[in-house]
Amino acid sequence: MSDDRKTERAAAATYHRIADAYADRIDTKPHNAYYDRPAVISLWHDLTNRDVLDAGCGPGVYAEELVKRGARVTAGDIAPRMREIAQQRLGNTVRIVELDLSERLPFEDAAFDVVNAPLCIDYIRDWDHVFAEFNRVLKRGGYVVVSAMHPSFDAEYYRTERYFEIEAVSGPWKGFGEPFIMNSYRRPLAEYINAPLRAGLVLDTLLEPLPTAEFQAADPRRHAELMRRPAFLMMRLRKGA
């Protein structure tokens, strides 16, 4: 197995192991509930009666929101326990599938109007493949919404001396109960823009979010940090002609 696959598999295994703790906290953990989620949702539109792929669905929070907005949702995750929790949360309101973003997606061409991919592509090295697959499964006029770690945040957090490279990294997570190490990738800003462009997608919106008032009430110190510098970056990308 290549080093890239080892990193990707390690991240998947960690998400499987922490799935219950993650699900217990995801509705109120500030970086997710009051930072990533409001920003991602702000980039959605035209969801009624639309076919939506919720990629990296985790415990099903975004899929639940998409259903509330009238979408027909297919939700996928690589971690088996995450899929089980999502199924328990969502019942028969969505279709739950196994989804490995490093492989060819198990869908026909032009299957979806929207792909929602929040905080899941940092664990995949080959963004050319990811965005090419998102483009393939989108219908004409469709769009992708992604969120990922901000490259400036990652560069400082991991103290990289290889900013211009795509770099396997790992670091401690302490917000989901017992601390653990998470594997992922960091990359330069150019790759955030150029990878989807190489895949034929068109950049519609780039968003560096601000934390919400709810975040400030829950965690004033980290709210102040995010008001000075973003931790996440969001993009809405449209399928090209």
Side-chain angles (χ1 to χ4, degrees), residues 1-240:
M1 183 183 294
S2 70
D3 289 342
D4 290 340
R5 293 302 284 162
K6 288 178 182 178
T7 295
E8 292 163 358
R9 292 297 180 183
T14 300
Y15 268 113
H16 175 71
R17 179 170 59 84
I18 69 162
D20 288 272
Y22 188 93
D24 286 344
R25 293 165 174 80
I26 198 65
D27 286 311
T28 56
K29 186 175 180 297
H31 276 86
N32 299 92
Y34 311 134
Y35 189 55
D36 181 68
R37 204 169 305 143
V40 167
I41 289 174
S42 76
L43 297 177
W44 294 350
H45 63 84
D46 299 332
L47 292 175
T48 303
N49 295 321
R50 303 291 185 178
D51 295 303
V52 179
L53 172 62
D54 187 30
C57 69
V61 178
Y62 276 104
E64 186 175 65
E65 290 295 328
L66 289 161
V67 169
K68 288 178 182 177
R69 287 161 173 78
R72 294 184 295 269
V73 181
T74 297
D77 202 279
I78 193 172
R81 182 56 184 155
M82 285 292 192
R83 297 196 302 273
E84 291 173 1
I85 295 170
Q87 192 73 73
Q88 292 165 6
R89 179 172 187 141
L90 301 165
N92 62 1
T93 61
V94 307
R95 179 167 65 119
I96 306 289
V97 299
E98 182 177 358
L99 200 66
D100 183 346
L101 296 178
S102 67
E103 303 288 346
R104 181 178 172 87
L105 300 182
F107 310 112
E108 299 295 325
D109 295 358
F112 299 101
D113 299 287
V114 178
V115 174
N116 186 61
L119 298 180
C120 60
I121 62 174
D122 288 308
Y123 309 103
I124 307 298
R125 188 187 192 284
D126 187 358
W127 278 14
D128 284 348
H129 167 80
V130 171
F131 284 112
E133 281 296 284
F134 287 167
N135 192 29
R136 180 183 66 80
V137 302
L138 274 177
K139 299 177 185 178
R140 182 174 296 180
Y143 65 91
V144 182
V145 173
V146 298
S147 64
M149 296 301 297
H150 197 290
S152 70
F153 178 92
D154 271 358
E156 182 172 336
Y157 180 80
Y158 292 110
R159 300 180 180 179
T160 186
E161 296 181 356
R162 300 163 53 192
Y163 172 80
F164 297 101
E165 300 178 27
I166 299 172
E167 181 180 13
V169 293
S170 61
W173 282 23
K174 301 178 181 179
F176 295 101
E178 183 178 347
F180 57 89
I181 299 298
M182 180 60 82
N183 299 83
S184 62
Y185 291 92
R186 57 144 301 276
R187 66 199 72 220
L189 176 61
E191 278 301 294
Y192 282 67
I193 306 301
N194 290 330
L197 295 183
R198 288 193 296 264
L201 295 164
V202 177
L203 179 61
D204 179 77
T205 303
L206 181 72
L207 177 61
E208 295 174 304
L210 292 171
T212 62
E214 290 87 351
F215 197 122
Q216 185 175 28
D219 192 338
R221 180 178 67 82
R222 289 188 174 87
H223 179 275
E225 292 174 355
L226 292 171
M227 291 297 292
R228 293 193 294 269
R229 185 194 61 187
F232 299 165
L233 182 149
M234 289 78 184
M235 294 184 289
R236 184 169 62 212
L237 303 148
R238 296 192 177 278
K239 186 178 182 73

